[in-house]
Amino acid sequence: MAYSDKVIDHYKNPRNVGSMPKSDPQVGTGMVGAPECGDVMRLQIKVNPETQVIEDAKFKTFGCGSAIASSSLATEWVKGKTVEDALQIKNTDIVRELSLPPVKIHCSVLAEDAIKAAIGDWKRKRAESESQPEASTAAAQGD
Amino acid sequence: MQVSPSPSPACWSCHAATDGAHFCPACGKIQPLASADYFAFFGLPQRLQLDADDLERRYLSLSWKLHPDNFVRADQFERDLSLELSSQLNDAYRTLRDPVSRVEYLLARLGVRKEGQTRQQAPPELLEEVFELNESLEELHMAREAGGDGDETAELRRRLEEAGRGFEKKLADVDAELAAASRDLDAAMDGARDPLLARLNEILNRRSYIRNLVANVARELQEGEPA
């Protein structure tokens, strides 16, 4: 099966590979996996608490070229968006952009799930810090 | 969950009832595929526990009877049937012979497991663990590529071997779980099957991560073997 040029580009020059500190209250971490193939993907976002804009995004994916390209593209797309806008990204958008074949659609599903999981994690953290402001400040400093 | 195919098919040649057999009981002519079900192809019920020797005997006997060599003088229709059924036979045998692909097949057939549409997640702890071990694998790989210092690589290898053994143990455990759940499904009444099917699916999902890791660790350790 031939990969599209865009998949190959993201695979060879993945954008935003790396990690951010999980315990940072501004960082949301999404860890997801595809049971069909055993791929695992971690996507992290850093959100500006005032504007709710995603200022940075990092990923690391152990999987096939399409999974890497999907998550690389996802980090590019979420950067600069508000969390609410980022939640609107659909796996079908990724499929279209990368011209993924039907057998690789689950890779795009994985990337969409990773975005949602990262945002979910960030929202949970924020809710927790609002309910216990002192404890969370202490935890953040402890890092 | 009926094993027997559509109501009593009739022989294309003599019109006798074939009851889904590959050969007409009346005239002996080869018949079109009566059911797409792999279990039914071997005349077996849809049960996950099956006797491997019995399956092999059925396979050998059918491959002998369906073999295209037996049809060289038959007409085109029968020659085509022989090819089609022989190919189905091989697919069915390959799938049912292995206990894991047998479960995958049954779940896909019952619509429980849909390729590319699953959104069920593995337990987060397992994903974390899988992710971390993959990172260690990558570290070892890069250390070796860089021709890194012997002690460091040796230590990485040692850690990987240990982690690899841990995951081999997990693979054995998950296989045992799969076998137990397969037994439960075979024993269950119709109404009790759904939760067991969901459980089998969940076990298969976990298994695919563990299996990949065991394979990756083995490959990495093998590549790093001093020549």
Side-chain angles (χ1 to χ4, degrees), chain A residues 22 31-42 60 62 91 106 109-110 112-113, chain B residues 113-121 127-128 130-131 134-135 138 205 208-209 211-212:
Chain A
K22 256 186 173 178
M31 175 85 88
V32 293
E36 296 92 342
C37 50
D39 288 359
V40 278
M41 180 182 289
R42 183 185 65 198
K60 184 136 191 190
F62 296 101
N91 82 293
H106 68 268
V109 174
L110 202 56
E112 185 193 320
D113 286 352
Chain B
R113 199 168 173 78
K114 293 196 193 82
E115 200 66 19
Q117 290 174 23
T118 42
R119 274 176 189 260
Q120 308 107 324
Q121 286 299 325
L127 285 182
E128 290 283 344
V130 167
F131 197 87
N134 268 310
E135 283 189 316
E138 195 179 56
N205 287 347
S208 60
Y209 296 104
R211 176 213 54 211
N212 272 18

Side-chain angles (χ1 to χ4, degrees), chain A:
Chain A
M1 178 206 62
Y3 284 123
S4 71
D5 291 345
K6 279 181 180 161
V7 170
I8 291 169
D9 178 39
H10 276 279
Y11 177 68
K12 286 192 173 159
N13 315 292
R15 303 3 168 212
N16 310 309
V17 174
S19 66
M20 293 185 276
K22 256 186 173 178
S23 48
D24 184 332
Q26 286 185 43
V27 169
T29 302
M31 175 85 88
V32 293
E36 296 92 342
C37 50
D39 288 359
V40 278
M41 180 182 289
R42 183 185 65 198
L43 190 144
Q44 295 182 297
I45 52 167
K46 185 169 190 166
V47 184
N48 182 318
E50 306 298 319
T51 60
Q52 305 228 342
V53 167
I54 298 172
E55 294 184 329
D56 199 5
K58 297 278 183 208
F59 84 96
K60 184 136 191 190
T61 293
F62 296 101
C64 66
S66 300
I68 290 169
S70 295
S71 37
S72 170
L73 179 67
T75 56
E76 270 197 326
W77 277 358
V78 297
K79 269 207 219 179
K81 282 195 168 70
T82 62
V83 287
E84 290 316 312
D85 286 346
L87 283 172
Q88 303 309 311
I89 295 172
K90 292 276 169 292
N91 82 293
T92 45
D93 304 332
I94 298 172
V95 171
R96 217 170 299 126
E97 175 70 14
L98 297 176
S99 321
L100 294 180
V103 293
K104 292 295 181 184
I105 287 173
H106 68 268
C107 298
S108 67
V109 174
L110 202 56
E112 185 193 320
D113 286 352
I115 296 173
K116 297 208 155 75
I119 293 174
D121 182 53
W122 172 77
K123 284 185 171 171
R124 196 163 43 244
K125 273 184 180 173
R126 198 182 50 159
E128 274 169 22
S129 71
E130 274 167 7
S131 61
Q132 313 167 293
E134 282 149 52
S136 77
T137 315
Q141 282 167 350
D143 249 279

Side-chain angles (χ1 to χ4, degrees), chain B residues 146-168:
Chain B
D149 121 292
D151 285 355
E152 196 191 329
T153 327
E155 169 60 16
L156 276 171
R157 268 187 79 88
R158 199 196 54 72
R159 280 200 344 237
L160 260 187
E161 277 164 3
E162 197 183 304
R165 275 194 297 275
F167 274 89
E168 273 169 32

